[in-house]
Amino acid sequence: METPSSRYTSRCAICGKPARVFLGSTSYCQDCYNRLADYLAGVETPTNDSYQILALDPDGHTVEFSVERYSFGARSIWTAVEQVPADDPRREWGYVGRSVSIAVDATRVSQDQAFDALMVKAQHMVSHASMRTAPISLNDPHPTTARRLGRALYANETGVARIEASDDGQKSVVVDGQCFTPEQFVDLLSCWDGFDLYWQVRGAADEPPTWL
């Protein structure tokens, strides 16, 4: 009998790689599942579902993303996740990396076009910082608990945040790849005391708003 732990050590029924998709009693790796879903929908399958994207941040640093495609037949979702090595010192202060997704109709958009669109979206996200840093001052009119490397962090006038929940139900907010508690996120906005706050909830695959 399959248990939760044995399920995730199953092998793909087609190629034998570790399985990630489970349909009834049959297990598939991501690539084989995508090819099957594409075939059943009659859409193009790219030669490789795994790609890398390199983008430049405002300081000229290279940001590496690992790309995966998830096929749902006529609809495909491409997701790029920033690669943060386990020994990256930024992890010590809550850096989990950035991610960006797009959703496309595979009957209208080729996979190459979808990948190109994801590259553009990733570069756009990396180029826009949602926070700024400032020196910590004892007389700071906007004290904040959101601090990294001895500097205070404050939200820019426009930005993007992602809400996440851990396995134990703890909520956090990810801004510019950095993880904050809800209280710290409120502190990020402390520099805008007295201003109105408008928000718009969007899916990860949606296009960024025109004002960003």
Side-chain angles (χ1 to χ4, degrees):
M1 181 176 179
E2 184 181 63
T3 65
S5 59
S6 66
R7 178 176 188 175
Y8 293 100
T9 59
S10 298
R11 295 286 174 174
C12 175
I14 297 177
C15 71
K17 294 179 181 177
R20 296 182 59 189
V21 180
F22 305 90
L23 300 178
S25 60
T26 307
S27 304
Y28 301 94
C29 70
Q30 189 66 49
D31 288 345
C32 288
Y33 168 75
N34 281 344
R35 284 193 289 269
L36 176 61
D38 292 340
Y39 171 77
L40 294 176
V43 299
E44 170 200 7
T45 295
T47 56
N48 185 0
D49 283 339
S50 300
Y51 299 88
Q52 299 295 119
I53 287 178
L54 298 180
L56 292 178
D57 67 15
D59 296 323
H61 299 135
T62 300
V63 182
E64 180 181 350
F65 291 86
S66 179
V67 179
E68 284 190 325
R69 181 178 70 98
Y70 295 83
S71 176
F72 299 94
R75 181 181 173 87
S76 290
I77 295 179
W78 293 72
T79 301
V81 179
E82 182 179 355
Q83 299 303 287
V84 186
D87 59 352
D88 192 316
R90 294 176 298 174
R91 284 188 177 274
E92 296 180 4
W93 40 265
Y95 193 82
V96 296
R98 291 159 285 190
S99 65
V100 63
S101 297
I102 62 168
V104 298
D105 182 341
T107 64
R108 297 175 179 270
V109 178
S110 73
Q111 304 291 10
D112 288 339
Q113 289 174 313
F115 179 66
D116 289 344
L118 184 66
M119 289 181 62
V120 172
K121 193 171 182 180
Q123 182 62 67
H124 178 81
M125 178 187 63
V126 170
S127 300
H128 179 89
S130 297
M131 300 182 298
R132 66 181 187 276
T133 66
I136 296 176
S137 171
L138 295 177
N139 299 318
D140 193 341
H142 308 293
T144 175
T145 59
R147 301 179 178 184
R148 296 290 188 269
L149 301 179
R151 293 180 66 84
L153 297 175
Y154 295 104
N156 284 331
E157 189 173 5
T158 61
V160 176
R162 184 175 74 250
I163 301 171
E164 291 191 345
S166 61
D167 293 339
D168 59 3
Q170 295 296 314
K171 298 293 191 300
S172 60
V173 183
V174 179
V175 184
D176 288 348
Q178 302 183 45
C179 193
F180 298 95
T181 66
E183 293 77 11
Q184 289 174 327
F185 178 65
V186 172
D187 272 358
L188 285 176
L189 299 168
S190 63
C191 58
W192 299 106
D193 288 348
F195 287 78
D196 288 337
L197 175 67
Y198 297 81
W199 68 85
Q200 184 178 51
V201 178
R202 305 173 73 90
D206 294 336
E207 286 300 308
T210 56
W211 45 260
L212 186 62

